[in-house]
Amino acid sequence: MVASLLILHYVHYQKSYDRYIESGDRVYRLRYERSAEGGTFVRFSSACPAAAPALREHFPEIEKIARIFRHRAVISYQDKKFQENRMFYIEADFLDLFNIDFLEGDKDALREGSGKAAISASTARKYFGEEDPLGKRISLDQQEDFLITGVYQDFPENSHIKCDILLSYQNLVASRGTELQQSWGHTMFYTYLMLKPGTDAKSLESKFPELIKEQAGELMEYFGVVIYLKLQPLYDIHLNSHFMQELEANGNADTLRYLVIVAIFIMLMAWVNYVNLSTAQALNRAREVGIRKVIGANRRQLIVQFFWETILINIIAVVIAITLCELLLTEFYQFAGLPENLQFLQQSYFWQIIGYLFAGGVILSGLYPVLLLSSYQPRKVLKGKLGNKGSGFGLRRALVLFQYLMALLLIIGTITVSQQISYMRNQPLGFNMEQSLVLKAPRVVSGSMDEKFETFKVEVERLPGVLKSAFCTEVPGRQILWDNGAIHKAGDDPSSGKNYQIVGVDYDYIEFFELEMANGRGFSREFPSDKKALVLNEKAVQWMGFEDPDDAVGKAVDYWGEIYPIIGVVKNFHQQSLKADFEPHIYRFMLSSPRGVFVLKLNSTQVPVTVQAVQKIWQDMFSGNPYDFFFLDDYYNQQYEADELFGRIFGLFSILAIFITSLGILGLTAFSAVQRSKEVGIRKVLGANVSDILYLMARDYIRLLIIAFVVSIPLALYGIRIWLESYAFKMTPDYMIFIIALGVVGIITLMTVFAQTYRVATTNPVKAIRYE
Amino acid sequence: MIQISHLFKYYTNKFIKTYVLQDVNLSVAEGEFVTIMGPSGAGKSTLLYILGMLDEANSGEYFFRNNSVHSLNERQRTHLHKHEIGFVFQNYHLIDELTVYENIEAPLLYQKIKSSDRKGKIAEVLDQFNIVAKKDLFPYQLSGGQQQLVGIARAIIAQPRLLLADEPTGNLNSAQGEEIMELLSQLNRQGTTIIQVTHSEKNAAYGQRIIHLLDGKVVKTEELKKKKTG
């Protein structure tokens, strides 16, 4: 019960995402999709900047629509400097769409004009401490100043978007130019809209293609692409959205579904135990029922009596469950990675669940035994004519069978999940990420960025703790965010252009990660012309229509009208976790970018010292920029966190399931050992020895277990197939897992049965036979 | 066949020994039909169970066909008891979940006798006891007399040399009782040694010797004339 409550709590939290927004059922996110002839299809979570104004103009059923644009930059106030990653330029309607709650200042100030900013309460504390932030000026990358006009309540944890700083949209227009605002080709403009009540989103969506054709027809024809705009309900975002450029890693609806199923299983198993034990007990209580009936109780009175007993037991269970939940909550939050201030006892849904569990418990676990008990014929009962055949025997078997099935499936599931994770972790990645320190590139650099970056690498490589270094725009560990469409083989028809992921890299990138070349070479200082050349990966070679890497090297690529020769092809490597398939990459030459990173390979000794030494160089060269670093292996392995959490939760609950099952079996064998003590005595007189008796008692369970095992195989295979579908690189299921699961459950059953039966099997049969 | 000397059996309760059997000496020859009689609590059943190796004495010697039972280990004793001894109980002690056929089969299973041999033996016994028609019924579908017939059938299926019967007719009416006693004496004539416990003088008359027990002691041994009937 505790377990189910906690799981359901977790599920509820995940489902609660964005529910805090008033009339959120009318709020949608506008998404941009682009398909190119020849198959590439990219789905973004954001939209193009031109979409919102066009929609606002053409569709009166849209009540509000707002674009926001994320900007990552360094914000400073006096001597305080922080890299801000959750900063957005926003259009005014955004404030209403997300019910942003202003604690101080004027909400409307941000609607007009430029150079204004609103900050969240926690951001205010970070920069200003106890001071009043209103009227203060913060500086963005030490280039632009913003006046703080408001402080708002932090976005809740269960919001798919969390903004720390909101900036006037006008400043974005000013800094990036008005041309961008009319683009149908760029994305990254997250667009949210609210429909007027009663508007059908689907029919509105169906009107989009026409508008897009009217506004962007030429563009689409030129690049040979089709653009789509989609409406995504706000409530779907957290659990069902896995598009490019998501604001934060979203949850997984499938995982939640599995967890709900597990929670229900566990609850059912517990109830099954109760039914099993109480029907078994019923035989013992049959005499009581008989006597009560003889002294005049009618059936209804008996039902009432037994029902009260069930209710009482359930009340006790609920109270214990709530107490345990409260005690375990903190650990559970840590375990499941939830924020800790959810106040879950105060939430009405919690009591609702309790109510359901209670009602379910009373009805499911109470009804059957109660009816069974009250139906006994007193005459038969008192004469002792109630065998242990009939009277719930068949039901008990079915229930034990069910429990076995659950336990087997859970064990198989746990092993599968952990095998897939270890499979993914143990595959060669195709690159070396050991001892790699990643530094986020400085945003504010005086003088030539290229030169500074090159000098920095030379400087750090002088440190004894640094073996080598490189610069690139993306390190392995996530999907590459930079992608460009309409790229094709030089000389081919432009309509054959496809979408590729672009990584800017320096001379040392390929050597740094020890990437293997399929053909050709990497960028080299010896060839000045390399600055205008490309390296592809094997997948990109295939996409572009070359026969093989040998064919590609020496040919050229048409990249938006410019012709780049291909100088080399790298073998595919796992840029992302093995959940994702290989994607076509194009490596461009690039010495610097404010969005890039430095990677440094460290000597394994004295890492902290080296990190500090690098910091010193950093501060000398890039003062004013935060020293923000992480280790590549941690970063890369974060991709498996969700799976590992899933595996952990699954594992925990399968242990619980086995425990519940064995408790049930324990109770039942304890009971049947007593029930059958006479039979055991007789059999011993007839010459049965201890092992015969143990076999006799365990036989039923073994038979049920084997049936459950046979049933579980197709179910588990089906489940495993479904689950593995979301992984691009799948392990081949090892059929030993079935045997292991069977073994685990079998051994636990036998141990349980033996522990209970051994005493009966070894007692002197005379006792059982002589004293009735 | 059986040689018992200086047999003691007691229960200890709060350091007080309560004797159930005191210095019992007894010998039974192969092929005998012996009756143990005595009031309730005299130790009759205890003696029977010790003879049947289901219970152990605290001291004394017990030789069964020249095996010194008192010094055998559990395994050897089980072996002896499995192959040489059959039991019949006052309340039959059939296994409720098994049919007549399966009840009779049970001892053979524990002796690891092959399936085909089992079938033959059971068919023979069912035939001999005239209960072929009842072989697929469960115990509760039978009358007491019929249940006891099954009980005896089960006891002799493995062809034991010794049959121990604890008040075999105690729960039966007199007609049924007589039928059972006739069956026992018939088995005795065919060579099975029988020791029975009973309260009934009439049943005791079927045997050749009566041993009277009182407070755990043999107080009298009575030789009966052998019946020459049948």
Side-chain angles (χ1 to χ4, degrees):
Chain A
M1 197 154 176
V2 175
S4 304
L5 276 177
L6 290 177
I7 298 183
L8 292 173
H9 178 45
Y10 177 74
V11 170
H12 181 269
Y13 172 72
Q14 290 285 329
K15 289 209 160 181
S16 76
Y17 260 73
D18 298 321
R19 299 280 160 166
Y20 69 94
I21 293 167
E22 275 169 46
S23 28
D25 54 336
R26 288 192 282 130
V27 176
Y28 292 81
R29 181 164 73 174
L30 189 69
R31 297 196 309 100
Y32 180 85
E33 294 185 352
R34 191 169 57 211
S35 74
E37 285 164 44
T40 83
F41 204 129
V42 274
R43 297 174 164 86
F44 294 91
S45 60
S46 56
C48 56
L55 261 54
R56 194 184 289 137
E57 193 179 323
H58 285 82
F59 301 109
E61 53 266 60
I62 295 175
E63 190 173 306
K64 294 191 171 94
I65 184 162
R67 289 173 286 181
I68 65 171
F69 184 83
R70 162 138 66 168
H71 189 50
R72 294 173 218 245
V74 177
I75 290 290
S76 53
Y77 172 72
Q78 293 173 353
D79 57 340
K80 289 202 175 118
K81 257 181 249 138
F82 298 100
Q83 166 85 28
E84 292 296 345
N85 290 322
R86 307 198 299 196
M87 182 160 64
F88 293 83
Y89 292 102
I90 58 151
E91 286 190 307
D93 277 352
F94 180 74
L95 297 172
D96 305 324
L97 280 166
F98 281 82
N99 311 125
I100 294 166
D101 182 14
F102 273 73
L103 302 171
E104 281 178 74
D106 183 8
K107 186 172 182 172
D108 297 320
L110 210 56
R111 291 179 194 273
E112 286 158 19
S114 61
K116 292 172 194 161
I119 59 178
S120 70
S122 60
T123 312
R125 263 194 308 282
K126 190 164 77 172
Y127 286 94
F128 303 102
E130 294 303 307
E131 278 180 69
D132 181 11
L134 286 186
K136 301 267 169 30
R137 287 185 170 275
I138 50 174
S139 160
L140 185 147
D141 284 349
Q142 292 177 337
Q143 288 166 352
E144 237 179 324
D145 277 4
F146 287 86
L147 176 72
I148 294 173
T149 59
V151 176
Y152 56 87
Q153 185 93 51
D154 282 19
F155 278 65
E157 277 298 323
N158 56 354
S159 174
H160 82 277
I161 177 171
K162 299 175 187 86
C163 311
D164 295 332
I165 300 179
L166 305 175
L167 303 172
S168 297
Y169 198 78
Q170 277 306 313
N171 290 71
L172 175 70
V173 179
S175 64
R176 304 279 168 111
T178 47
E179 201 179 317
L180 175 67
Q181 295 302 313
Q182 279 127 41
S183 167
W184 282 89
H186 289 80
T187 53
M188 289 301 280
F189 285 79
Y190 300 94
T191 306
Y192 298 87
L193 54 92
M194 182 188 274
L195 300 178
K196 289 197 173 139
T199 312
D200 180 33
K202 279 269 166 275
S203 72
L204 177 63
E205 202 178 73
S206 66
K207 294 179 201 158
F208 289 164
E210 206 182 327
L211 176 73
I212 297 166
K213 199 162 182 202
E214 181 194 314
Q215 303 254 333
E218 263 175 55
L219 179 94
M220 292 199 293
E221 209 155 300
Y222 178 78
F223 284 106
V225 294
V226 182
I227 293 168
Y228 311 86
L229 289 174
K230 300 278 178 197
L231 290 176
Q232 180 182 29
L234 178 69
Y235 294 155
D236 272 6
I237 293 177
H238 179 63
L239 290 179
N240 292 312
S241 181
H242 300 279
F243 302 106
M244 289 177 81
Q245 303 173 343
E246 290 286 355
L247 282 164
E248 63 175 47
N250 282 327
N252 186 325
D254 286 339
T255 307
L256 290 193
R257 224 164 285 139
Y258 286 123
L259 286 178
V260 172
I261 292 172
V262 169
I264 293 171
F265 277 178
I266 287 181
M267 210 56 235
L268 281 177
M269 287 174 78
W271 284 334
V272 162
N273 268 356
Y274 183 78
V275 173
N276 263 346
L277 293 177
S278 52
T279 53
Q281 280 291 327
L283 293 168
N284 274 351
R285 297 190 62 176
R287 183 168 289 273
E288 178 193 336
V289 174
I291 293 169
R292 280 179 191 276
K293 280 200 168 176
V294 168
I295 61 174
N298 62 25
R299 189 158 182 204
R300 174 185 296 202
Q301 287 166 321
L302 284 171
I303 290 179
V304 169
Q305 183 205 338
F306 289 125
F307 235 93
W308 272 115
E309 282 174 18
T310 310
I311 288 173
L312 197 69
I313 288 173
N314 271 285
I315 289 175
I316 295 170
V318 166
V319 170
I320 294 174
I322 294 173
T323 321
L324 272 177
C325 271
E326 188 72 335
L327 292 174
L328 293 174
L329 215 49
T330 325
E331 258 121 74
F332 177 71
Y333 284 160
Q334 271 171 13
F335 184 79
L338 296 184
E340 293 201 4
N341 50 352
L342 290 177
Q343 307 288 336
F344 104 119
L345 287 185
Q346 274 111 54
Q347 296 188 20
S348 60
Y349 85 89
F350 173 79
W351 296 104
Q352 262 174 27
I353 293 177
I354 290 270
Y356 289 139
L357 289 182
F358 179 68
V362 170
I363 291 167
L364 288 180
S365 65
L367 209 55
Y368 183 76
V370 165
L371 292 179
L372 179 75
L373 267 177
S374 59
S375 69
Y376 286 157
Q377 298 283 325
R379 203 171 57 86
K380 274 196 190 163
V381 167
L382 291 180
K383 278 181 110 182
K385 282 256 163 104
L386 220 57
N388 42 12
K389 268 254 159 65
S391 53
F393 191 69
L395 178 82
R396 283 208 292 281
R397 285 183 164 199
L399 293 178
V400 170
L401 184 72
F402 169 77
Q403 287 189 323
Y404 273 141
L405 191 58
M406 296 301 103
L408 284 172
L409 287 178
L410 283 169
I411 295 173
I412 292 172
T414 307
I415 302 175
T416 310
V417 172
S418 74
Q419 278 189 343
Q420 171 68 15
I421 292 173
S422 80
Y423 167 83
M424 291 194 294
R425 287 191 163 230
N426 292 326
Q427 287 303 303
L429 292 172
F431 68 95
N432 186 338
M433 64 176 176
E434 271 168 47
Q435 298 289 339
S436 300
L437 183 75
V438 183
L439 291 173
K440 287 188 186 157
R443 311 189 63 90
V444 190
V445 180
S446 52
S448 157
M449 214 176 199
D450 280 7
E451 267 171 42
K452 280 258 180 170
F453 279 31
E454 285 284 270
T455 322
F456 177 72
K457 286 192 290 181
V458 174
E459 289 287 322
V460 291
E461 279 183 35
R462 282 204 192 122
L463 294 170
V466 178
L467 302 176
K468 51 189 174 182
S469 69
F471 169 81
C472 55
T473 55
E474 192 80 65
V475 287
R478 68 169 184 193
Q479 192 178 22
I480 293 166
L481 287 185
W482 186 6
D483 76 304
N484 285 157
I487 298 173
H488 55 91
K489 204 197 273 192
D492 276 8
D493 190 67
S495 66
S496 69
K498 289 181 185 171
N499 203 73
Y500 293 85
Q501 286 168 327
I502 315 294
V503 190
V505 303
D506 66 357
Y507 297 115
D508 308 308
Y509 173 85
I510 289 171
E511 208 277 315
F512 184 91
F513 286 110
E514 298 168 24
L515 301 183
E516 275 186 70
M517 300 301 295
N519 193 24
R521 58 182 177 82
F523 299 106
S524 164
R525 290 182 173 87
E526 287 162 31
F527 299 87
S529 62
D530 278 5
K531 290 185 178 175
K532 272 284 188 182
L534 298 179
V535 171
L536 272 54
N537 71 352
E538 289 170 315
K539 185 91 182 183
V541 164
Q542 198 186 325
W543 272 45
M544 216 164 272
F546 295 109
E547 275 164 32
D548 54 34
D550 297 345
D551 178 32
V553 172
K555 302 273 170 51
V557 172
D558 185 329
Y559 189 151
W560 294 356
E562 286 192 64
I563 306 297
Y564 288 80
I566 301 169
I567 56 168
V569 175
V570 293
K571 287 195 172 162
N572 289 333
F573 66 94
H574 291 283
Q575 166 71 29
Q576 296 177 69
S577 82
L578 276 80
K579 277 182 110 155
D581 207 347
F582 295 123
E583 289 180 308
H585 294 172
I586 292 179
Y587 299 91
R588 288 176 60 163
F589 182 74
M590 192 172 276
L591 282 177
S592 70
S593 157
R595 275 172 190 70
V597 290
F598 291 107
V599 276
L600 312 180
K601 177 83 67 185
L602 305 187
N603 198 326
S604 56
T605 54
Q606 296 187 312
V607 170
V609 177
T610 312
V611 170
Q612 273 186 356
V614 173
Q615 182 173 16
K616 199 164 171 304
I617 298 175
W618 179 275
Q619 277 159 351
D620 290 347
M621 289 191 63
F622 305 123
S623 69
N625 291 285
Y627 183 61
D628 198 352
F629 68 89
F630 54 85
F631 283 92
L632 186 58
D633 45 357
D634 296 341
Y635 176 71
Y636 195 84
N637 288 331
Q638 272 174 13
Q639 299 178 98
Y640 297 118
E641 257 174 28
D643 291 302
E644 273 172 3
L645 178 66
F646 182 61
R648 271 210 303 275
I649 293 181
F650 221 91
L652 185 74
F653 289 116
S654 50
I655 290 173
L656 201 67
I658 297 170
F659 182 66
I660 294 176
T661 309
S662 59
L663 270 187
I665 294 169
L666 186 80
L668 283 180
T669 42
F671 178 77
S672 70
V674 175
Q675 275 278 303
R676 297 174 78 172
S677 59
K678 190 186 116 187
E679 182 191 337
V680 168
I682 298 169
R683 285 185 185 269
K684 285 195 79 175
V685 171
L686 297 180
N689 53 32
V690 173
S691 59
D692 291 327
I693 300 297
L694 292 180
Y695 170 71
L696 174 77
M697 300 296 268
R699 193 176 54 189
D700 280 346
Y701 295 103
I702 298 297
R703 203 177 290 154
L704 289 174
L705 178 59
I706 287 169
I707 298 172
F709 178 64
V710 171
V711 177
S712 76
I713 290 176
L715 286 176
L717 283 177
Y718 178 73
I720 291 173
R721 223 188 56 214
I722 297 280
W723 184 71
L724 281 179
E725 258 170 28
S726 63
Y727 292 84
F729 298 86
K730 309 169 182 57
M731 57 151 188
T732 36
D734 181 353
Y735 295 99
M736 271 307 284
I737 59 179
F738 293 104
I739 305 297
I740 293 171
L742 180 67
V744 168
V745 181
I747 287 169
I748 289 173
T749 302
L750 289 181
M751 281 180 1
T752 317
V753 173
F754 286 177
Q756 281 300 315
T757 314
Y758 191 75
R759 202 179 42 79
V760 181
T762 50
T763 42
N764 192 330
V766 177
K767 279 186 188 157
I769 295 171
R770 283 183 72 173
Y771 310 108
E772 294 273 303
Chain B
M1 176 187 215
I2 289 173
Q3 191 66 49
I4 282 178
S5 47
H6 309 296
L7 197 75
F8 286 85
K9 175 78 180 172
Y10 53 82
Y11 297 107
T12 313
N13 191 10
K14 290 176 186 163
F15 309 110
I16 300 166
K17 285 179 184 173
T18 315
Y19 282 90
V20 185
L21 294 174
Q22 290 191 61
D23 197 19
V24 173
N25 297 291
L26 176 69
S27 66
V28 177
E30 195 108 42
E32 256 194 299
F33 190 156
V34 177
T35 307
I36 302 172
M37 290 188 78
S40 294
K44 308 183 296 286
S45 295
T46 306
L47 181 57
L48 198 68
Y49 288 126
I50 291 174
L51 289 173
M53 299 170 204
L54 293 174
D55 209 349
E56 276 181 89
N58 295 93
S59 66
E61 291 181 328
Y62 173 17
F63 291 93
F64 182 87
R65 287 171 57 81
N66 299 328
N67 293 301
S68 52
V69 177
H70 51 271
S71 58
L72 295 179
N73 66 23
E74 164 103 28
R75 195 198 189 90
Q76 292 163 320
R77 240 192 347 258
T78 312
H79 182 84
L80 211 54
H81 142 224
K82 225 175 0 192
H83 291 91
E84 310 276 11
I85 300 170
F87 273 93
V88 176
F89 301 96
Q90 176 175 358
N91 33 25
Y92 337 123
H93 283 324
L94 300 178
I95 298 171
D96 298 336
E97 289 78 15
L98 304 181
T99 61
V100 166
Y101 184 95
E102 290 163 341
N103 262 292
I104 297 173
E105 187 182 28
L108 298 179
L109 288 175
Y110 294 126
Q111 291 184 16
K112 312 259 184 294
I113 288 172
K114 268 189 252 153
S115 163
S116 51
D117 296 350
R118 287 203 305 265
K119 276 185 192 148
K121 286 189 179 198
I122 298 164
E124 210 173 287
V125 172
L126 287 171
D127 194 38
Q128 183 190 348
F129 284 30
N130 216 359
I131 47 177
V132 179
K134 309 245 181 321
K135 72 180 170 59
D136 292 325
L137 298 181
F138 285 96
Y140 64 89
Q141 293 166 308
L142 301 176
S143 73
Q146 287 164 338
Q147 289 194 43
Q148 192 59 295
L149 269 181
V150 176
I152 295 172
R154 185 179 66 181
I156 61 147
I157 185 73
Q159 290 156 340
R161 289 171 198 276
L162 175 64
L163 185 63
L164 300 171
D166 190 356
E167 306 234 22
T169 63
N171 282 3
L172 303 176
N173 62 33
S174 55
Q176 288 170 333
E178 242 166 69
E179 193 187 333
I180 294 298
M181 288 316 297
E182 277 301 331
L183 181 60
L184 288 180
S185 52
Q186 193 191 335
L187 288 170
N188 178 240
R189 281 194 299 277
Q190 287 163 2
T192 312
T193 312
I194 295 178
I195 302 175
Q196 69 163 339
V197 164
T198 185
H199 286 295
S200 144
E201 293 282 352
K202 198 174 134 206
N203 288 349
Y206 285 89
Q208 297 137 14
R209 189 152 58 112
I210 301 173
I211 293 159
H212 289 276
L213 274 186
L214 183 64
D215 294 340
K217 291 176 197 152
V218 178
V219 288
K220 190 170 86 179
T221 307
E222 196 181 340
E223 295 284 342
L224 299 177
K225 274 186 182 168
K226 273 194 180 173
K227 284 192 173 182
K228 293 290 177 193
T229 45

